[in-house]
Amino acid sequence: MLLQTDKLKASQTNNFFLLAGPCVIEGEDMALNIAEHIVKITRRLDIPYIFKGSYRKANRSRIDSFTGIGDEKALHILRRISETFGIPVVTDIHTAAEAAIAAEYVDVLQIPAFLCRQTDLLIAAAQTGKTVNIKKGQFLSPEAMKFAAQKVIDAGNDKVAITERGTTFGYHDLIVDYRGIPEMQTFGYPVILDVTHSLQQPNQTSGVTGGMPQLIETIARAGIATGADGLFMETHPEPSKAKSDGANMLRLDLLEPLLERLVAIRQTINRF
């Protein structure tokens, strides 16, 4: 299954698709450079690609945490990436009022995990006609996500995807239950594994979210082996200098060899 967007073309090799980019748009040059780098890799590997970048971060641990460079400026950058490379783009929205605004610039509207039960938000996203990617709440079972998806369907939009991003385990860890991937696929929508957010360590005493990026390949390999339709990964040239979520990002120069190995796993699975 593939995300339904006009710009995303089905892979001839039955490959997984990829949502990847920085956590948040930090500037135009940075975003364009990341997009160009990933486009070259994904075209060579025949991976359908959607550029990911948040135009604003609303869920922050501290009031002084970076939230963005300005909504309109960041949204224009997302549109430029789409037009420059001919690829779809995805961004988060946080309130019902944001849905129509963001839909003027992007192809996919993403519902953050903590907001996946917000009915007004889901309906507003659905009514734009854009594809709606709903992240599974850390507090929900896979089975419960069918109700979130159904809200979008009932609002007249059948372009839905669901993203697994781990389940809360104690106070500082997330655990991926891979049984949830095939379970959510029974709903009939593409299921994506958010590799990097599944490795977050929230609620740190410093007020800055931690992470375990050394396990990115482990999580990604398991997701492909389990049959995930797509992968979500945040990446940055220098994660230590990233203005948001640097602790669990993949360093950009590590993306190509990782994707090569994941494609090999997918091709092996497709033989059986």
Side-chain angles (χ1 to χ4, degrees), residues 76-98:
H76 276 287
I77 291 171
L78 287 167
R79 176 188 283 168
R80 183 174 178 195
I81 288 169
S82 180
E83 294 173 346
T84 300
F85 300 107
I87 57 173
V89 295
V90 57
T91 199
D92 314 81
I93 58 171
H94 315 92
T95 67
E98 292 178 30

Side-chain angles (χ1 to χ4, degrees), residues 1 3 6 9 56 90 156 171 204 241 259:
M1 287 182 286
L3 279 187
D6 293 336
K9 306 303 180 185
R56 173 162 45 87
V90 57
Y171 291 109
Q204 300 295 304
K241 296 182 179 179
L259 290 177

Side-chain angles (χ1 to χ4, degrees), residues 47-110:
I47 300 172
Y49 173 50
I50 303 169
F51 178 86
K52 183 272 166 183
S54 296
Y55 72 92
R56 173 162 45 87
K57 301 301 293 185
N59 180 7
R60 303 285 80 196
S61 296
R62 302 188 322 202
I63 197 170
D64 60 348
S65 296
F66 179 78
T67 58
I69 60 174
D71 293 1
E72 186 174 357
K73 184 176 181 181
L75 286 167
H76 276 287
I77 291 171
L78 287 167
R79 176 188 283 168
R80 183 174 178 195
I81 288 169
S82 180
E83 294 173 346
T84 300
F85 300 107
I87 57 173
V89 295
V90 57
T91 199
D92 314 81
I93 58 171
H94 315 92
T95 67
E98 292 178 30
I101 297 169
E104 294 293 320
Y105 298 87
V106 305
D107 304 277
V108 181
L109 298 176
Q110 185 164 277

